[in-house]
Amino acid sequence: MSSKINATLRYTSLRASIFLACLLVALLLAHFGVIPVVGDLGLILVFALAMVASSAISYVVLNKQRDEMSAQIANRIENRKVRTAVRDAAEDEADDAARAAAARQAQAG
């Protein structure tokens, strides 16, 4: 389970780092006048530009980490499905045994 946490933490921290780097670059471009920033709308534009750029970079650069994280999550979901199927089968078996015992008791009595 710790490997899942590590893969998720690694992917998330790398993704956040890429966003912060893109935000820094966008803010520097805005500060030096390359990107026109007028009021609050301009600041929202800078953040939107950083989000779009970081998404594109993350999609390309973090492919391996994203695949590792998704494989581990899929494995965890599969394990949960197996545990649920085993639990349901045990419940069904207990229910069938209880019904059979009740039916035998009804026939005997």
Side-chain angles (χ1 to χ4, degrees):
M1 183 165 188
S2 64
S3 61
K4 176 199 171 297
I5 293 170
N6 290 337
T8 302
L9 184 61
R10 182 175 43 244
Y11 175 76
T12 303
S13 63
L14 288 171
R15 183 100 193 252
S17 298
I18 290 172
F19 171 72
L20 291 175
C22 288
L23 181 61
L24 178 65
V25 169
L27 287 172
L28 286 172
L29 290 174
H31 177 72
F32 290 112
V34 177
I35 301 173
V37 176
V38 179
D40 292 337
L41 185 61
L43 190 58
I44 291 172
L45 175 68
V46 168
F47 274 89
L49 178 65
M51 283 191 290
V52 169
S54 69
S55 296
I57 293 169
S58 295
Y59 182 76
V60 174
V61 174
L62 300 179
N63 194 28
K64 178 183 171 190
Q65 289 82 3
R66 186 175 48 254
D67 289 344
E68 288 174 1
M69 183 180 69
S70 65
Q72 290 173 346
I73 290 171
N75 188 22
R76 185 174 178 191
I77 289 171
E78 187 62 34
N79 290 341
R80 186 173 289 169
K81 285 180 182 179
V82 168
R83 285 193 315 258
T84 301
V86 168
R87 186 189 68 225
D88 289 348
E91 287 177 1
D92 290 345
E93 186 177 311
D95 186 47
D96 290 344
R99 288 178 192 235
R104 281 191 303 258
Q105 188 179 18
Q107 288 177 351

